[in-house]
Amino acid sequence: MLITFTSKAAAEVTMYKEHARRALELLHKNVDRGVLTFAETANAIKVIEDAVAESRAHPISEEVVHDIEAHPDDDDNEHEHEQEAVAKVSFSARMFPLLDMLRAAHKKQHDVIWSE
């Protein structure tokens, strides 16, 4: 399921609902549809920026997981190697377009709305 964010201040932003959920829950907003008024945008920017900073400070180490899976265990059994490396997209990368929209909306004093 996709969520589309729109504002008169910026181009629309579309993302998977599961990715938008974290930001919207941090803002105590309904995931399916809602509005961030101009008055709420400053706080929304701060909340999401803080969550991005926190996610950067404590990243999950994929290298450690891969290293454990790629080496033999105590019984000398080798784990199968991953067939293909999958690139993970960070929370900060996912939030960048939304933060950009929120900043533009705040600067131009517009609301941000979203729906499925």
Side-chain angles (χ1 to χ4, degrees), residues 86-104:
V86 178
K88 300 288 183 186
V89 179
S90 68
F91 177 70
S92 62
R94 292 192 195 285
M95 291 300 107
F96 180 80
L98 181 57
L99 277 169
D100 198 36
M101 174 184 273
L102 288 170
R103 289 180 188 119

Side-chain angles (χ1 to χ4, degrees), residues 40-89:
E40 295 174 302
T41 56
N43 183 59
I45 292 166
K46 182 182 179 337
V47 167
I48 295 173
E49 283 178 341
D50 289 349
V52 165
E54 180 69 20
S55 73
R56 286 181 178 164
H58 303 289
I60 298 172
S61 177
E62 293 297 324
E63 294 82 18
V64 172
V65 173
H66 177 74
D67 188 54
I68 290 169
E69 292 175 354
H71 290 84
D73 59 21
D74 292 338
D75 296 329
D76 224 13
N77 297 323
E78 290 191 25
H79 295 280
E80 291 185 28
H81 291 275
E82 295 178 17
Q83 291 188 4
E84 185 176 330
V86 178
K88 300 288 183 186
V89 179

Side-chain angles (χ1 to χ4, degrees), residues 2-22:
L2 296 174
I3 298 288
T4 301
F5 294 87
T6 58
S7 176
K8 292 180 181 179
E12 63 181 43
V13 173
T14 301
M15 64 176 66
Y16 286 109
K17 185 176 182 178
E18 65 189 66
H19 300 148
R21 179 180 311 280
R22 181 171 174 196

